[in-house]
Amino acid sequence: MTTLGIIQARMGSSRLPGKVLRKLGGRSVLERVIRAAQQSGVLDTLVVATTIEPADDAVVAECAAIGIPCTRGPVDDVLTRFLGVLDQHESDVVMRFTADCPLLDPHLVALAHRVFTASGVDYMTTSITRTLPRGLDVEVVRTPVLRAVDALATEHHRTHVTSYIYTHADDFDVIGLTMQPDLSHLRLTLDTEDDWKLIEAIVGHFGDEPISVRELANWLAGRPDLIELNAHVLQKALVQA
């Protein structure tokens, strides 16, 4: 089974423009996501899918510097961006990542891949019933299913790539992966300046290497002051593309 990883990345962000190329411990946020995905050891190919906007020339340049393939497509129709990657790279399975998750855990990525492979389902995600911190989610989908969604998905479903699948679960074999203990109270994604303050503090403490979710959660349990930094931040609703 050939597994293709796709990281969606762009400089445009309504709440924190340019966040994917901010520097964390000497590396860009995007490079940290790339490295964590690669360290999972389950990907045959990893590609960054960015947009045709001039601002995203910087993302293309960063990918060239890192040595990672990069493709370009529409800004809001992210599904079309992903399909463009599929047209260039053969795969049986796609793992979807977003470039605003610099604390991605390689061990979780590998675990999700193993569970998906053993299950034989069409789609699996860690966010149907959330027990992981936001920012550490993993999604896996069979390539033919992702291609089939192209004819079905409209509006915000094209922005969120896989949302048509899990909101129409009667039409697909869908499972959710949950983990214990429940760490869903933690917010470890990057979307605001307050998110940045927390993530910067984490990287400042742990250094350059990816951190396991368990080690990170244990440390944060003793730092409620850091958890409070972004506890008030609300995630955008699904329909808010």
Side-chain angles (χ1 to χ4, degrees):
M1 186 175 69
T2 302
T3 302
L4 169 65
I6 304 177
I7 303 173
Q8 60 189 73
R10 66 186 183 99
M11 293 293 283
S13 168
S14 60
R15 297 204 278 192
L16 196 62
K19 61 185 179 181
V20 302
L21 293 188
R22 283 195 175 195
K23 292 295 184 182
L24 270 173
R27 298 179 188 270
S28 68
V29 168
L30 176 58
E31 184 176 0
R32 290 185 67 92
V33 178
I34 289 169
R35 190 174 56 152
Q38 289 175 329
Q39 286 189 8
S40 71
V42 299
L43 303 177
D44 296 286
T45 307
L46 182 62
V47 179
V48 172
T50 193
T51 86
I52 57 175
E53 289 289 294
D56 288 322
D57 291 349
V59 173
V60 175
E62 176 73 353
C63 290
I66 296 168
I68 197 82
C70 182
T71 66
R72 308 184 78 161
V75 176
D76 294 322
D77 189 348
V78 189
L79 177 57
T80 291
R81 267 195 258 163
F82 271 58
L83 294 171
V85 177
L86 298 186
D87 289 341
Q88 297 181 32
H89 301 272
E90 289 190 9
S91 65
D92 301 302
V93 170
V94 174
M95 299 195 80
R96 176 186 176 226
F97 306 99
T98 58
D100 54 3
C101 297
L103 299 176
L104 183 68
D105 182 349
H107 300 292
L108 282 178
V109 176
L111 174 62
H113 188 270
R114 290 198 302 273
V115 173
F116 179 85
T117 301
S119 70
V121 298
D122 293 326
Y123 172 80
M124 186 187 76
T125 179
T126 56
S127 60
I128 290 177
T129 301
R130 181 177 298 282
T131 58
L132 287 172
R134 191 175 294 278
L136 297 184
D137 288 313
V138 184
E139 290 182 89
V140 199
V141 60
R142 296 196 179 277
T143 300
V145 173
L146 193 57
R147 286 192 179 279
V149 168
D150 184 34
L152 303 170
T154 59
E155 300 178 335
H156 64 275
H157 290 308
R158 301 198 70 83
T159 300
H160 295 285
V161 183
T162 56
S163 61
Y164 184 90
I165 301 171
Y166 60 78
T167 58
H168 294 77
D170 288 344
D171 300 324
F172 305 95
D173 291 327
V174 174
I175 62 171
L177 177 63
T178 59
M179 310 285 291
Q180 293 298 317
D182 186 346
L183 301 173
S184 58
H185 63 287
L186 297 174
R187 177 181 170 86
L188 301 176
T189 190
L190 177 59
D191 199 33
T192 69
E193 284 290 350
D194 287 334
D195 294 332
W196 176 256
K197 292 173 185 175
L198 172 58
I199 291 171
E200 198 172 34
I202 291 168
V203 173
H205 175 78
F206 284 98
D208 190 48
E209 290 300 314
I211 315 149
S212 75
V213 61
R214 191 174 297 275
E215 183 180 7
L216 177 51
N218 288 342
W219 181 70
L220 284 174
R223 295 297 308 270
D225 57 314
L226 294 181
I227 295 174
E228 285 299 314
L229 285 174
N230 67 348
H232 64 283
V233 178
L234 298 177
Q235 191 71 11
K236 291 181 179 179
L238 182 65
V239 296
Q240 292 178 297

